[in-house]
Amino acid sequence: MAPEPMVSIGFIAKRTGNAVSLIRYYANEGLIPSVRTNGGNRAFPRSVIRRVSFILIAQNMGYSLAEIKSLLSTLPDNRTPTQADWAKLSTVFNQHIEAKIAALTSLKTSLEGCIGCGCLSLDRCRLYNTDDKVAARGSGAQLLDENVQSQFLVSHKK
Amino acid sequence: MAPEPMVSIGFIAKRTGNAVSLIRYYANEGLIPSVRTNGGNRAFPRSVIRRVSFILIAQNMGYSLAEIKSLLSTLPDNRTPTQADWAKLSTVFNQHIEAKIAALTSLKTSLEGCIGCGCLSLDRCRLYNTDDKVAARGSGAQLLDENVQSQFLVSHKK
DNA sequence: GCTTGATCTAAAGTTAGCTTTAGATATTAA
DNA sequence: TTAATATCTAAAGCTAACTTTAGATCAAGC
């Protein structure tokens, strides 16, 4: 197979709509592969554009760079990903998207039946209080941590 | 109507499953209302638990605290929210959830038809390159910024 | 009244995810 | 060959969203 054309960091930046500093940052973090020219500049296979696109999409979905790195680890670093490589990643990722959709749908239902109803007898509100489900094993509510938050992908918390 | 019982910061923290420092932080940021006891301690209406729950859910959806503050601004600060108050907020929020679901669904379709197909003739991949749509008005791709990212609620970028 | 635990403030520290800066070297176009 | 532009490194700076720390005061139970 013909070797993939190598491109500069500026090309990747322009094509993905990002700053050069971001591409360099991703390269340093090991999120995208690169080689060096004789002079020491980075050179990327064109397919890195696709990889960056994936990173941006996953970030928008709430994944941290660490999680994305892990997701991307199914792609090979030492050669351009093949159709099968991307398909494999895609299958996994699709499941994450579906899980997110399911979580949002469930949240929507909850909100419609709870906040939406305006049930201010707080002791009965499922969002506020899950005594009916967890009282037996604790002292109160904490529904968010246990039921809702875990269905999402990212917590933004340390 | 009977005045709502006031509770301590520790109570709110325990009931929402968070650290006291977080509740204090939210109070300082003006995300949740509070008054002071004679001694100077914070006192919260019980309904603040619901407000914190909302904040946590919205954060998990990707909203920044600034955006959440703006969302919450439809709720009254000086009195306990009524059914109508929550219903109003819920209506708005529901639309955001629906938009997110729609964006994820569309992303899923795109990935299935693009990354999923493994189309490595990169010049034809919609995710990688939208030359067929935007070439006329620019020099390349940048699909992510223009088409996909804008459908999500948060960018995590400055 | 005393002790213990909860809360207070203000300031500093932390992590993720970047950008900016400065000064040096590479690459490209004329 | 030379000027203009791109890239390099290392270090520092920045924002959001918190937590931690230190020393002081509050509140509750005995």
Side-chain angles (χ1 to χ4, degrees), chain A residues 113-127:
Chain A
C114 183
I115 282 191
C117 80
C119 53
L120 290 178
S121 63
L122 294 179
D123 289 332
R124 297 200 176 188
C125 176
R126 280 180 47 229
L127 257 185

Side-chain angles (χ1 to χ4, degrees), chain A residues 38-57:
Chain A
N38 290 338
N41 284 7
R42 289 179 187 79
F44 302 88
R46 247 183 120 92
S47 62
V48 157
I49 292 174
R50 180 184 282 243
R51 214 170 152 118
V52 170
S53 297
F54 181 86
I55 294 171
L56 298 175
I57 291 172

Side-chain angles (χ1 to χ4, degrees), chain B residues 8-10 24 36 40-42 157-158:
Chain B
S8 71
I9 196 170
R24 191 146 41 214
R36 297 291 180 148
N41 285 6
R42 288 178 188 79
K157 318 278 278 294
K158 291 171 216 164

